[in-house]
């Protein structure tokens, strides 16, 4: 069995987020001044976490957020970031660059509601979900391959330091019981992955975890939190358990979803 941590962060605020204008993939807007502050605050919050991998959407707002997080890190300042188009926001076709109210009007005219409504040239929800599934399966396979190589070259067992660094700021023991007790016999985390992505994409990915992979949730998570889109730089943490060559689906435990404790001191600009 292999276990790894997956920390997923939404990008910081852009001017278009504030103005409720759809960006999707075609509008590549940079972070606003508030967004830069949010990314820096996220970096300070996560600065003691030892990440082993970093993946980001290749759009400007996510790249800038990832940079803002890593530059505050004590351990990961110089780590290589993998920019992956599978982590991009949902493509909204003709609605990109237009106000959200216009998308609602288009959906109403078609007798549908958002987010189910697919504007001309946009991705369907199923297509977004398949991108998320493809990325997640790729990530699991990559980590399994790396674990196999480490074992082959006898580089030692996974250390407890990866989860210790997470446990300093996330309620691991509270949600996972004895799993995070170093005497429980549970193997240590083999990787700690940081992903920076987008609101609608993350909602789709988390939906896949919950519906298809039967992700377990903390008791404190309300249904409204579960159904809502992450705020800018909201942080979600999952622990993934999976077995090499097994046809059994990975077991996923949600530690927190759309956390925004780190933003209390961040004030909006303008």
């Amino acid at each position: 069995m292999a276990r790894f941590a997956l920390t997923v962060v939404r990008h910081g605020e852009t001017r278009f987020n504030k103005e409720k204008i759809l960006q999707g993939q075609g509008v590549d807007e940079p972070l606003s001044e508030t967004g830069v502050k949010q990314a820096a605050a996220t970096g300070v919050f996560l600065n003691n976490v030892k990440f082993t991998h970093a993946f980001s959407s290749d759009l400007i707002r996510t790249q800038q957020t990832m940079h803002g997080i890593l530059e505050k890190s004590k351990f990961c300042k110089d780590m290589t970031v993998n920019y992956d188009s599978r982590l991009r926001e949902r493509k909204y076709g003709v609605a990109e660059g237009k106000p959200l109210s216009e998308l609602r009007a288009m959906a109403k005219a078609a007798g549908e509601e958002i987010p189910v409504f697919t504007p001309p040239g946009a991705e369907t929800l199923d297509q977004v979900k398949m991108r998320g599934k493809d990325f997640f399966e790729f990530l699991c396979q990559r980590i399994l391959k790396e674990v196999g190589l480490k074992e082959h070259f006898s580089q030692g067992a996974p250390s407890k330091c990866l989860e210790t660094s997470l446990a300093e700021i996330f309620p691991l023991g509270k949600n996972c019981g004895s799993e995070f007790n170093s005497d429980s016999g549970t193997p240590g985390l083999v990787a700690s992955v940081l992903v920076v992505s987008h609101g609608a994409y993350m909602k789709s990915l988390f939906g896949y975890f919950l519906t298809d992979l039967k992700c377990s949730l903390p008791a404190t998570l309300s249904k409204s939190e579960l159904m809502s889109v992450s705020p800018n730089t909201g942080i979600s943490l999952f622990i993934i358990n999976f077995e090499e060559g097994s046809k059994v689906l990975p077991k996923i435990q949600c530690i927190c979803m759309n956390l925004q404790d780190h933003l209390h001191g961040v004030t909006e600009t303008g």
Side-chain angles (χ1 to χ4, degrees):
M1 182 201 285
R3 296 168 65 247
F4 73 94
L6 176 62
T7 304
V8 187
V9 180
R10 187 186 174 196
H11 63 81
E13 182 201 83
T14 68
R15 178 173 59 92
F16 280 15
N17 284 147
K18 193 172 181 181
E19 295 173 3
K20 295 188 171 14
I21 293 171
L22 287 162
Q23 295 165 104
Q25 298 182 12
V27 179
D28 208 4
E29 185 77 4
L31 297 183
S32 64
E33 196 176 327
T34 298
V36 171
K37 288 179 182 176
Q38 289 171 336
T42 310
V44 170
F45 185 74
L46 297 172
N47 73 343
N48 274 321
V49 177
K50 296 175 182 175
F51 293 110
T52 56
H53 302 72
F55 292 89
S56 170
S57 154
D58 56 354
L59 298 174
I60 287 172
R61 55 196 185 273
T62 39
Q63 290 192 41
Q64 288 180 324
T65 303
M66 177 64 85
H67 176 73
I69 294 171
L70 294 183
E71 71 174 2
K72 299 289 184 186
S73 175
K74 289 182 182 176
F75 306 103
C76 310
K77 265 190 179 69
D78 302 316
M79 79 183 301
T80 301
V81 179
N82 301 275
Y83 295 105
D84 196 315
S85 61
R86 286 174 295 189
L87 293 169
R88 285 183 179 185
E89 181 57 295
R90 181 184 181 186
K91 185 179 179 182
Y92 283 99
V94 298
E96 291 184 349
K98 293 178 180 175
L100 184 59
S101 57
E102 210 166 308
L103 178 65
R104 285 201 179 98
M106 289 168 68
K108 190 175 180 181
E112 294 182 40
E113 292 183 8
I114 57 172
V116 177
F117 172 65
T118 305
E123 285 181 295
T124 64
L125 289 181
D126 275 349
Q127 286 172 323
V128 181
K129 176 183 169 181
M130 289 311 294
R131 270 202 289 126
K133 181 175 184 283
D134 186 47
F135 173 78
F136 180 67
E137 289 177 349
F138 149 80
L139 184 62
C140 290
Q141 288 307 311
R142 173 164 169 169
I143 287 170
L144 270 177
K145 187 177 178 182
E146 289 175 1
V147 170
L149 286 171
K150 281 180 184 175
E151 288 174 354
H152 180 72
F153 291 108
S154 304
Q155 289 179 5
S159 76
K160 291 284 179 183
C161 70
L162 294 180
E163 57 209 87
T164 301
S165 73
L166 285 165
E168 286 177 9
I169 54 171
F170 294 107
L172 294 183
K174 189 176 171 185
N175 285 285
C176 301
S178 62
E179 273 192 34
F180 285 87
N181 182 325
S182 57
D183 300 323
S184 68
T186 304
L189 297 174
V190 297
S192 183
V193 181
L194 173 64
V195 167
V196 178
S197 188
H198 305 262
Y201 179 89
M202 286 166 58
K203 187 178 177 184
S204 173
L205 179 67
F206 299 167
Y208 165 64
F209 286 175
L210 292 165
T211 307
D212 295 57
L213 300 182
K214 311 299 180 193
C215 172
S216 63
L217 298 167
T220 52
L221 198 66
S222 70
K223 193 172 182 181
S224 62
E225 286 176 302
L226 202 56
M227 300 303 290
S228 63
V229 173
S230 172
N232 290 112
T233 66
I235 302 170
S236 299
L237 174 64
F238 301 88
I239 303 296
I240 321 292
N241 294 265
F242 59 105
E243 292 181 36
E244 188 173 7
S246 170
K247 290 186 179 178
V248 178
L249 293 172
K251 288 183 180 175
I252 303 184
Q253 189 154 26
C254 175
I255 305 302
C256 66
M257 191 177 284
N258 303 337
L259 185 78
Q260 47 188 324
D261 295 5
H262 57 294
L263 297 177
H264 293 327
V266 178
T267 53
E268 279 204 16
T269 308

